[in-house]
Amino acid sequence: MANTASLVIQALALSLCFVVSKCLFSIPLQVNSGKFNLSSAVDLTPVRQVILTSDGNGLSLASDPTGTVNFLDMVNNLQGDSGRGYYIEMSLGTPGQKLNILVDTGSSNFAVAASAHPFITHYFNTALSTTYESTERTVTVRYTQGNWEGELGIDHVSLPKGPNGTMIVNIAAILSSDGFFLPGVNWQGILGLAYPMLARPDSSVEPFFNSMVRQLGIPDIFSLQMCGAGLSASSTADLAGGSLIMGGAEPTQYIGSVWYTPIVEEWYYQVEVLKLEVGDQNLDLDCREYNMDKAIVDSGTTLLRLPVNVFNAVVAAITRGSLIQEFSSGFWEGTKLACWIKGETPWRFFPKLSIYLRATNTSQSFRITILPQLYIQPITDVDGTLDCYRFGVSSSSNGLVIGATVMEGFYVVFDRSKRRLGFALSSCAVNGGIALSEIAGPFSAADVASNCSGGPLKEPLLWVISYALMAVCAFVLVILLLLLVLPCRRRHHSGEITDESSLVRHRIK
């Protein structure tokens, strides 16, 4: 009987260790890696050095005395809109093949179509490039909706409307995909501008912008203006466009000062949201609710995505303050459109939305505000007599995402060198002479917690806790070993980062 009880205790201990480890490490994104390590096998030497001047606050401006980089040359180098994505023209290989590449600050791989697909007009033919080299390393990225699979390689890349010079960069050549390329888009690849921690199959695959900074010598800063505010997400009219300024910020693209918030962690561009307001009404939630499990700035996500509790509070606050009390639940859930007689706009029925971000002076915050023209978004007319709109906010199970719905109101500076994100009023966020965004501050942050980033744990902290739990399991097993003289081995698991906030999953189809 005693032996039976001991065996039961041992089995429970082993089960506990297994369950704890399994709960800590989920792998929603399947990735297969090969044998080739690019970082140790290829010499990526600098091609050209450039020098830029500073405004005194760490930002590089357009007055480059060498003439090598002129930010004005990069203005209007983007095409697209929030519904179909913003993309930039790039030249790949030798001789150069021109492709349109989606700009995505929520991922880190540079991946391009390398085979024919019914939804794209052309692709990167690696066989026609004399400088393309395959690394014989495969990568498969699977999303909840959509996936692509291909091989990693390296080749020469330049940007016709970017910094002068040619770079040698990692390229994922997409050979097959499902649900990644969609009808109506005019891009053939994706440019991930986030940190190496998100790169697939692993962080040894140097992201594009890291390669640009290292090889061309530009400052580790880029800035983004997206000019689709107030335009129909399904219109076939001329695309709105915008600007991706690599190496600094272009003052003609924004109005007033740049307000900065710290980058909490360098994987996504994670920030700290302190509170939300609907009109002048504070949602009055624990600030950790806003950052559960992360809050990021992602140009590849169409909507403003909010954790479920926050989303429900926003909808309730809008409903209470709106002139339309009985509004279809399908509108809030994104399954139905709201329509008005043509020429009649719905803006007066909805309040402003404000997001408070922690300032670089951590005892303060600042507020970015969008008008309803940004989050009540025109789609298309139905029969020539109606104008229809969608709700540009959705619920999220994996964090708060400041997507294109908000970003179209601001000029956003990704100052990686100082680990901070900057927001300023965008010069193109105007519709009918009305500014569609506001920014204000500083405000005291004394009424919120000192640390609002209270979501699920991530690497490397995740590893520390997992090893601590393993140590506890080991201690229990050693006791059992002494009692039963039976071996017990600890198991190691590898963590993975979710990538469910990307445009691949959340753009409008």
Side-chain angles (χ1 to χ4, degrees):
M1 194 72 177
N3 288 338
T4 300
S6 299
L7 290 173
V8 170
I9 292 171
Q10 182 186 22
L12 288 173
L14 286 170
S15 299
L16 176 62
C17 292
F18 177 78
V19 169
V20 169
S21 299
K22 190 171 183 179
C23 289
L24 282 172
F25 301 106
S26 61
I27 309 178
L29 185 62
Q30 301 296 321
V31 177
N32 299 322
S33 60
K35 301 175 292 184
F36 196 91
N37 188 331
L38 172 63
S39 60
S40 62
V42 180
D43 178 22
L44 301 182
T45 55
V47 178
R48 181 185 296 224
Q49 297 293 319
V50 298
I51 302 172
L52 299 176
T53 58
S54 171
D55 69 345
N57 294 316
L59 277 183
S60 297
L61 302 177
S63 54
D64 171 24
T66 69
T68 309
V69 174
N70 186 344
F71 290 168
L72 294 176
D73 291 341
M74 302 184 209
V75 170
N76 297 325
N77 60 2
L78 297 183
Q79 288 184 289
D81 55 45
S82 61
R84 292 166 292 196
Y86 291 83
Y87 53 87
I88 188 170
E89 185 183 68
M90 301 177 70
S91 178
L92 285 70
T94 307
Q97 301 175 42
K98 290 186 177 180
L99 282 81
N100 293 330
I101 308 297
L102 181 77
V103 173
D104 181 24
T105 63
S107 66
S108 298
N109 280 87
F110 176 34
V112 299
S115 63
H117 189 282
F119 296 149
I120 61 176
T121 56
H122 58 288
Y123 61 91
F124 177 45
N125 191 333
T126 58
L128 297 181
S129 174
T130 60
T131 49
Y132 177 80
E133 296 180 34
S134 171
T135 66
E136 299 182 358
R137 191 180 184 193
T138 61
V139 55
T140 300
V141 178
R142 303 187 185 279
Y143 302 86
T144 303
Q145 296 177 2
N147 64 76
W148 58 260
E149 180 175 353
E151 67 172 15
L152 292 175
I154 58 170
D155 207 340
H156 293 72
V157 174
S158 62
L159 289 87
K161 291 188 176 181
N164 292 334
T166 299
M167 301 161 287
I168 303 173
V169 300
N170 292 293
I171 301 175
I174 300 174
L175 301 176
S176 63
S177 64
D178 180 21
F180 180 74
F181 299 107
L182 299 177
V185 299
N186 191 32
W187 44 264
Q188 299 84 42
I190 187 167
L191 177 61
L193 291 171
Y195 290 98
M197 192 174 180
L198 293 184
R200 302 289 183 258
D202 56 57
S203 58
S204 70
V205 180
E206 184 177 61
F208 180 92
F209 193 70
N210 291 63
S211 297
M212 175 178 282
V213 169
R214 183 170 57 81
Q215 296 181 51
L216 299 188
I218 67 172
D220 195 9
I221 307 169
F222 66 89
S223 49
L224 188 58
Q225 182 190 52
M226 301 154 71
C227 293
L231 299 181
S232 171
S234 60
S235 170
T236 57
D238 291 339
L239 299 178
S243 303
L244 172 62
I245 307 297
M246 288 156 281
E250 170 48 50
T252 62
Q253 303 304 103
Y254 62 89
I255 301 167
S257 301
V258 181
W259 294 76
Y260 289 99
T261 185
I263 295 174
V264 174
E265 187 172 347
E266 294 171 311
W267 57 326
Y268 296 99
Y269 291 99
Q270 183 179 348
V271 296
E272 191 176 6
V273 175
L274 302 190
K275 63 180 179 179
L276 264 66
E277 287 179 348
V278 175
D280 295 326
Q281 178 183 350
N282 183 359
L283 294 186
D284 202 24
L285 298 174
D286 187 315
C287 68
R288 286 171 294 187
E289 293 264 18
Y290 303 122
N291 301 277
M292 186 72 68
D293 61 286
K294 59 184 176 292
I296 65 173
V297 178
D298 178 10
S299 65
T301 293
T302 302
L303 307 179
L304 167 61
R305 305 190 68 237
L306 303 174
V308 176
N309 289 346
V310 180
F311 175 78
N312 291 337
V314 166
V315 170
I318 293 176
T319 303
R320 284 194 302 269
S322 174
L323 298 177
I324 304 175
Q325 296 299 321
E326 299 297 329
F327 220 68
S328 167
S329 61
F331 176 72
W332 307 118
E333 295 165 0
T335 59
K336 293 183 179 179
L337 300 177
C339 300
W340 279 263
I341 295 175
K342 202 167 187 66
E344 183 176 328
T345 60
W347 317 134
R348 68 184 185 279
F349 298 125
F350 297 93
K352 301 175 182 179
L353 297 183
S354 297
I355 300 172
Y356 286 74
L357 298 168
R358 192 179 295 279
T360 49
N361 178 344
T362 56
S363 65
Q364 297 179 335
S365 68
F366 65 93
R367 179 180 67 210
I368 58 175
T369 299
I370 58 172
L371 272 63
Q373 286 92 325
L374 284 175
Y375 73 88
I376 304 297
Q377 301 170 339
I379 295 296
T380 184
D381 63 345
V382 175
D383 58 2
T385 63
L386 298 176
D387 286 331
C388 296
Y389 300 81
R390 70 175 180 188
F391 188 42
V393 185
S394 70
S395 63
S396 167
S397 61
N398 56 357
L400 186 151
V401 184
I402 297 174
T405 292
V406 177
M407 293 180 69
E408 286 179 338
F410 301 93
Y411 187 81
V412 185
V413 179
F414 295 78
D415 188 351
R416 295 151 49 109
S417 63
K418 291 194 174 183
R419 194 168 171 164
R420 60 183 184 172
L421 287 188
F423 290 83
L425 295 179
S426 172
S427 60
C428 68
V430 179
N431 192 335
I434 300 173
L436 304 182
S437 57
E438 301 170 356
I439 192 165
F443 305 102
S444 172
D447 59 336
V448 296
S450 59
N451 182 8
C452 295
S453 300
L457 299 168
K458 299 175 283 294
E459 303 174 75
L461 181 58
L462 186 64
W463 280 108
V464 174
I465 293 179
S466 66
Y467 282 128
L469 289 171
M470 287 181 183
V472 172
C473 291
F475 178 76
V476 173
L477 295 178
V478 167
I479 298 298
L480 291 174
L481 176 62
L482 294 176
L483 293 174
L484 303 173
V485 198
L486 290 175
C488 181
R489 296 173 183 170
R490 289 182 287 166
R491 301 182 182 185
H492 292 265
H493 298 257
S494 61
E496 185 57 272
I497 301 167
T498 64
D499 192 21
E500 296 179 347
S501 295
S502 70
L503 176 135
V504 174
R505 216 183 144 206
H506 300 296
R507 63 191 168 201
I508 294 298
K509 295 187 177 181

